[in-house]
Amino acid sequence: MTVKVFLGLGILFCLLLYVEARRDLAETQRVLESTSFKELEATGHRLARELEGRAPEGLDAFTIYQMMQRVGGVRITLSDRQGRILVDTEAQIKPGDPWTLRGIEARDLDRVWEGDPALSLPYPAEGNMRQAAFFPVRDHSGEAWAVGRLEMDRTKVLASVDRGAPSPALWVFGGSILGLLAYTVVRRWIVAARAGSAAGAPGAEERVGIMLGAFQDVVGQLKEKERTAEERAASAESYQIQILRSIPSGVMSFDLEGRVALVNGAAERILHRTRETLLGKPCGEVFGEANGWVTQIVEETIASGHGVDRREETIRLPDSRTIWVGLSAAPLRDAAETPLGAILTFADLTEVHRLRRENALRERLALLGEMSAGIAHELRNPMGVLTGYSALLLKQTPPEDPRRDTLERLREETEGMNRIVTQFLLYARPAVLQRERVDLNALLEEIRSSPLSDRSGIQTEFQIEGSLPPIEGDSVLLRQALSNLAQNAVESMPEGGVLLISAEVQSPKSNVQSHLGDLGPWTSDLGRFIEISVSDTGVGIPPEHLDRIFDPFFTLKAGGTGLGLALAQKFILAHGGRIEVESEVGIGSTFRVILPVGGKVNR
């Protein structure tokens, strides 16, 4: 009778467990389908905007890979109506090779060509669970010319499904059955052992010990399985953390109150802040008033639930430097679509913008070069005549003649115009370098001994860290570039001040390269560069003018030509180097010249 009762209770318990398992499976399928179709819809719109109007010949794997990074995914393939591959981001299939789209029936593929996206079932790949989304790629006329297949990693979605804990009543019921079963079995063995002992039967106590030992083994195995499950969960979480740390872009997450909840190593490097100084701080405190647009994006993302795809702006760092960043924001939700906050991703684009400025400079130089010959002919000839006649009239005019002052001013003005034209032509023509080994120690000593600070109230200081190694370049052009920077510093201190010229050798591991980025192909030659800084305590440069100070004819000084800094930058760029500037109104400016050691100059 007892055996039948326990058998019935056990069957009932198994049925209840089956019902719980079905509930978990249904919840998993519901969440997976919900998140998959929502992500498919969002991804389809974003990729449609990215690919709209593009022709097959205008695409390549790298371009598609950049799009995939922006929309999220692990692989994208594009195929035409004949089933031939156009682009594969993993380069496993060559363009033009036939390939059957896996995970979709032929009738579903026809609907995709007509404009309806489709979704495959989850499948294992490379140790993860993936899912493929299929969508049409259209041109400007709206006609589909390819089908895109975006593979997405669904491992996190499946892992984040909240299956819920089994009903407490079910646990109590199951525990009661196991407890009654264990009590009944142990009691019977004890009764049998006592009866056997009274009757003189040998081995009864040993049988009880074996039964208790087996029971303890079962309990130990259950505990071991629980410990293994916890270790697997911890390992999965550690793997996700390692992925986050390895991402080259900065990643920060904020809770619903706008406080930093997570930050990766790339964000620390870009913002020049440590994790300890960021976690738990409000977004406004982290980025400050100077970067209020970032705080506004985070607050709007949390409030509205809509993110920002891409925005390029400048960020002012704690050390007063300004960098360009490409920033995106997205709302952060759990598997049940409950808002958790916002996530911010950003990358340092300072080097990209620097290359854009250099390309724009080269384009301007090409245009100016075409105009220089005509300007030389149209302006220099009349100025030569004016200079000659003014000199002749000066010889014929006695010193006491009041008209002599007018002639002197005429001669000075014509000479000034001639200097401007000469500088303009020098700026417009390609820099032809007379390459030689340049001793920077001697060159800086010449600048030190030159009459830079004849103006009263100017104090000149030099700080040279050791002996500077020689570089390959043109000593005349380098001297003119550094002299122009020094002269500009002196002219920015009309009331007097301190002119500081310093120089030292830096290595690629120093802080300078960490915030200046890649300095060109020469960094792999000897791996060192020379930093020459020209600092002043003058009036400073307003932030809105910093991007234009190297433009030709742009000047903030009365009577300035606007060519001194432009020529200095041109000559330094021709030597494979660069000029960086930091300035604060009322405090002063620092122009930092970076030159390669042993590098090759640009011809």
Side-chain angles (χ1 to χ4, degrees):
M1 181 64 181
T2 304
V3 175
K4 292 181 179 180
V5 171
F6 277 115
L7 181 61
L9 292 175
I11 293 174
L12 179 59
F13 183 66
C14 291
L15 288 174
L16 292 175
L17 286 178
Y18 175 75
V19 172
E20 288 286 337
R22 293 288 298 176
R23 181 179 68 84
D24 291 345
L25 181 60
E27 175 66 13
T28 301
Q29 187 172 1
R30 183 190 68 79
V31 173
L32 180 61
E33 292 179 353
S34 174
T35 57
S36 297
F37 281 110
K38 288 182 179 180
E39 183 172 347
L40 170 62
E41 183 179 7
T43 302
H45 285 302
R46 296 179 68 182
L47 283 176
R49 291 196 300 268
E50 293 279 356
L51 295 171
E52 182 178 1
R54 293 177 179 264
E57 59 273 11
L59 295 175
D60 53 63
F62 181 72
T63 302
I64 299 298
Y65 179 80
Q66 289 180 315
M67 296 181 184
M68 180 188 70
Q69 292 291 96
R70 288 194 290 270
V71 303
V74 294
R75 183 183 182 186
I76 290 181
T77 56
L78 299 181
S79 57
D80 59 15
R81 289 187 180 272
Q82 287 73 37
R84 295 172 300 194
I85 284 294
L86 301 176
V87 177
D88 179 14
T89 56
E90 291 190 355
Q92 295 182 1
I93 307 171
K94 297 180 179 179
D97 288 353
W99 187 51
T100 303
L101 290 174
R102 294 176 295 179
I104 188 171
E105 300 290 340
R107 60 178 181 275
D108 295 330
L109 183 59
D110 292 337
R111 289 205 303 269
V112 173
W113 280 105
E114 294 174 359
D116 294 331
L119 194 68
S120 73
L121 293 174
Y123 56 90
E126 299 181 2
N128 296 318
M129 293 299 294
R130 291 186 180 180
Q131 207 167 8
F134 302 87
F135 55 91
V137 181
R138 303 178 182 276
D139 55 19
H140 282 305
S141 63
E143 183 179 355
W145 58 268
V147 165
R149 182 178 187 270
L150 169 66
E151 294 188 31
M152 299 173 290
D153 191 349
R154 316 304 297 162
T155 306
K156 294 183 179 179
V157 176
L158 292 172
S160 65
V161 175
D162 184 10
R163 299 179 173 83
S167 171
L170 181 60
W171 283 113
V172 172
F173 181 68
S176 301
I177 293 176
L178 292 176
L180 288 172
L181 179 60
Y183 172 77
T184 302
V185 173
V186 173
R187 185 173 180 278
R188 287 193 173 189
W189 276 100
I190 292 175
V191 171
R194 289 177 178 175
S197 177
E205 294 182 357
E206 288 79 358
R207 288 196 297 274
V208 173
I210 292 173
M211 184 62 187
L212 292 176
F215 185 75
Q216 292 176 351
D217 289 341
V218 172
V219 174
Q221 291 176 4
L222 293 175
K223 289 184 177 180
E224 179 63 24
K225 290 182 178 180
E226 181 181 3
R227 185 182 64 82
T228 303
E230 291 177 351
E231 290 178 352
R232 289 179 178 176
S235 176
E237 182 178 1
S238 175
Y239 179 70
Q240 295 174 359
I241 292 176
Q242 292 301 323
I243 292 177
L244 184 64
R245 289 177 177 174
S246 302
I247 295 176
S249 297
V251 178
M252 298 178 70
S253 68
F254 300 85
D255 58 21
L256 293 175
E257 296 180 355
R259 296 181 178 274
V260 179
L262 179 144
V263 58
N264 70 341
E268 293 182 83
R269 292 190 296 272
I270 295 174
L271 299 179
H272 282 242
R273 299 279 296 274
T274 61
R275 191 185 312 270
E276 292 73 17
T277 61
L278 295 173
L279 292 177
K281 300 294 180 62
C283 182
E285 181 180 340
V286 169
F287 290 97
E289 296 182 1
N291 307 308
W293 65 275
V294 180
T295 305
Q296 183 180 1
I297 287 177
V298 173
E299 292 177 348
E300 291 180 354
T301 301
I302 295 175
S304 65
H306 301 289
V308 175
D309 287 341
R310 183 73 168 180
R311 182 170 172 180
E312 294 186 7
E313 287 281 357
T314 58
I315 284 183
R316 193 171 180 84
L317 299 180
D319 57 3
S320 299
R321 287 187 300 104
T322 300
I323 63 172
W324 278 92
V325 296
L327 183 143
S328 301
L332 189 61
R333 302 184 178 95
D334 60 12
E337 294 297 317
T338 302
L340 299 178
I343 187 166
L344 205 65
T345 60
F346 49 93
D348 189 348
L349 302 181
T350 306
E351 185 69 13
V352 175
H353 279 263
R354 183 185 69 83
L355 293 175
R356 290 176 183 173
R357 290 195 302 269
E358 291 185 3
N359 289 333
L361 172 63
R362 292 189 181 94
E363 293 176 0
R364 290 198 301 269
L365 287 177
L367 293 175
L368 290 174
E370 296 176 0
M371 300 167 53
S372 61
I375 291 176
H377 177 73
E378 296 295 334
L379 294 181
R380 276 195 160 177
N381 290 341
M383 283 191 300
V385 174
L386 288 175
T387 302
Y389 276 120
S390 61
L392 180 61
L393 289 174
L394 279 172
K395 288 183 178 180
Q396 297 176 352
T397 304
E400 63 276 6
D401 194 327
R403 292 175 297 179
R404 188 175 181 86
D405 292 339
T406 303
L407 294 174
E408 288 283 357
R409 294 188 60 184
L410 177 62
R411 183 179 58 83
E412 292 174 358
E413 290 297 328
T414 54
E415 289 179 353
M417 292 177 62
N418 188 58
R419 285 195 302 271
I420 293 176
V421 173
T422 301
Q423 289 183 338
F424 172 70
L425 294 176
L426 186 62
Y427 178 80
R429 293 168 181 166
V432 180
L433 305 185
Q434 302 298 324
R435 297 173 55 185
E436 59 182 347
R437 289 177 63 85
V438 180
D439 185 354
L440 289 178
N441 299 283
L443 191 147
L444 291 175
E445 184 62 31
E446 291 180 16
I447 296 177
R448 180 208 294 263
S449 58
S450 64
L452 286 175
S453 56
D454 287 344
R455 185 181 303 170
S456 62
I458 300 295
Q459 178 182 350
T460 304
E461 298 181 1
F462 277 78
Q463 294 180 0
I464 310 298
E465 297 290 337
S467 178
L468 302 177
I471 65 171
E472 182 183 14
D474 189 315
S475 60
V476 175
L477 296 185
L478 285 174
R479 184 185 302 105
Q480 182 172 350
L482 296 175
S483 297
N484 286 359
L485 294 177
Q487 185 64 34
N488 181 77
V490 170
E491 293 175 353
S492 69
M493 298 183 288
E495 304 299 328
V498 178
L499 169 64
L500 173 62
I501 299 178
S502 61
E504 61 180 333
V505 180
Q506 297 280 2
S507 67
K509 301 298 182 181
S510 68
N511 291 332
V512 172
Q513 191 188 30
S514 68
H515 73 257
L516 292 183
D518 183 14
L519 299 175
W522 49 266
T523 52
S524 60
D525 188 0
L526 296 180
R528 297 186 301 160
F529 51 93
I530 296 174
E531 175 188 319
I532 302 174
S533 298
V534 180
S535 304
D536 63 70
T537 58
V539 295
I541 304 170
E544 63 270 19
H545 296 318
L546 282 175
D547 290 337
R548 300 187 58 196
I549 59 175
F550 293 111
D551 292 346
F553 303 111
F554 178 82
T555 180
L556 297 174
K557 295 176 294 187
T561 64
L563 288 171
L565 292 180
L567 284 171
Q569 186 195 47
K570 177 183 178 180
F571 295 156
I572 296 301
L573 289 176
H575 285 80
R578 61 192 292 181
I579 302 178
E580 294 289 334
V581 58
E582 298 174 9
S583 184
E584 188 171 349
V585 176
I587 302 299
S589 306
T590 296
F591 287 80
R592 184 178 294 107
V593 177
I594 308 297
L595 292 170
V597 176
K600 293 183 179 180
V601 297
N602 297 328
R603 300 194 179 190

